[in-house]
Amino acid sequence: MGNYNNLNELQISALSEIGNIGAGNAAAALADIMADTIMMSVPELQVIDVNSMTTILGGPENEMVGILVTMNYDVRGMLLFLLEKEFVCLLINVLMNKEINDFDNISEVDMSVIMEIGNILAGSYTSAIAMMTDLDIRLSTPQVAIDMVGAILNYPAAHFGVMDDNLLFIEENFLSEQNVIRSHLLIMPEPESLN
């Protein structure tokens, strides 16, 4: 197989199911930490050209939070979560009892909270993969960056662009009583791990 271009309909369906289970796990985890009811829309899964990503995410200068986690052992590759400003500020406000609405006022403690959210989200997806495949997946400590989309995508694009021009892109909406929280996830396994 080697890359996403060679996936058949059944294989895409299996990856979609992993996305559904991972998103369900993430919604449950977010509901626990926010002490709120979190519903989720059906995740949209696309195999997408790496060069189209910046357009889908609002343009190269759109500021977001990127959380990069490396997968090791039986599955090797990267997970990159791209979180919108409203999502990140909402989580910090709820968890830290603060009132911020932009990235200018984020402290080191807030960055630790974002890193922990990355751990929770990445764990939600990798546990779904592990459950369905019986593979052992270990995660690195998340790396967090607040930057423009173009800059955040540079590192994985440089690393994975040599292997494949396409990425697995999962977009989902988490719905609380008062908010719509949008999460974007890029799953970038190495070719052997995709097999």
Side-chain angles (χ1 to χ4, degrees):
M1 186 184 324
N3 64 50
Y4 290 119
N5 290 325
N6 299 327
L7 295 176
N8 63 37
E9 194 173 318
L10 180 61
Q11 291 165 332
I12 290 285
S13 178
L15 289 173
S16 294
E17 186 57 25
I18 288 173
N20 284 333
I21 294 170
N25 291 350
L30 286 173
D32 284 346
I33 63 175
M34 294 179 69
D36 195 359
T37 302
I38 304 285
M39 306 293 288
M40 66 171 204
S41 63
V42 176
E44 291 182 39
L45 182 141
Q46 304 173 59
V47 175
I48 193 158
D49 185 284
V50 69
N51 296 320
S52 305
M53 285 306 307
T54 53
T55 304
I56 289 173
L57 296 169
E61 295 181 4
N62 185 29
E63 197 173 28
M64 299 185 89
V65 171
I67 304 172
L68 184 70
V69 181
T70 303
M71 298 180 288
N72 293 297
Y73 285 76
D74 291 344
V75 174
R76 302 180 68 80
M78 294 182 184
L79 300 172
L80 176 61
F81 293 92
L82 291 152
L83 308 179
E84 296 179 358
K85 178 169 55 179
E86 294 77 14
F87 183 4
V88 174
C89 291
L90 172 66
L91 289 172
I92 291 171
N93 289 341
V94 169
L95 297 174
M96 303 299 292
N97 195 25
K98 296 174 86 167
E99 283 297 327
I100 63 170
N101 56 17
D102 58 45
F103 293 145
D104 295 336
N105 301 316
I106 289 181
S107 68
E108 279 189 40
V109 174
D110 298 334
M111 289 295 280
S112 296
V113 169
I114 295 170
M115 190 177 293
E116 187 53 35
I117 296 302
N119 271 329
I120 291 166
L121 292 174
S124 298
Y125 281 91
T126 54
S127 66
I129 296 169
M131 181 181 72
M132 291 181 73
T133 61
D134 201 29
L135 295 171
D136 183 11
I137 306 169
R138 312 279 176 94
L139 300 176
S140 69
T141 301
Q143 300 174 52
V144 178
I146 298 175
D147 209 330
M148 293 183 292
V149 167
I152 292 172
L153 290 175
N154 271 344
Y155 178 74
H159 187 77
F160 283 91
V162 175
M163 295 191 296
D164 189 10
D165 289 335
N166 291 318
L167 303 171
L168 184 63
F169 177 68
I170 298 174
E171 185 174 72
E172 58 210 1
N173 292 324
F174 298 111
L175 314 168
S176 70
E177 290 180 7
Q178 300 175 358
N179 300 281
V180 177
I181 302 167
R182 182 168 295 142
S183 168
H184 312 277
L185 169 62
L186 296 174
I187 300 179
M188 300 166 279
E190 293 183 359
E192 206 173 283
S193 294
L194 181 58
N195 287 334

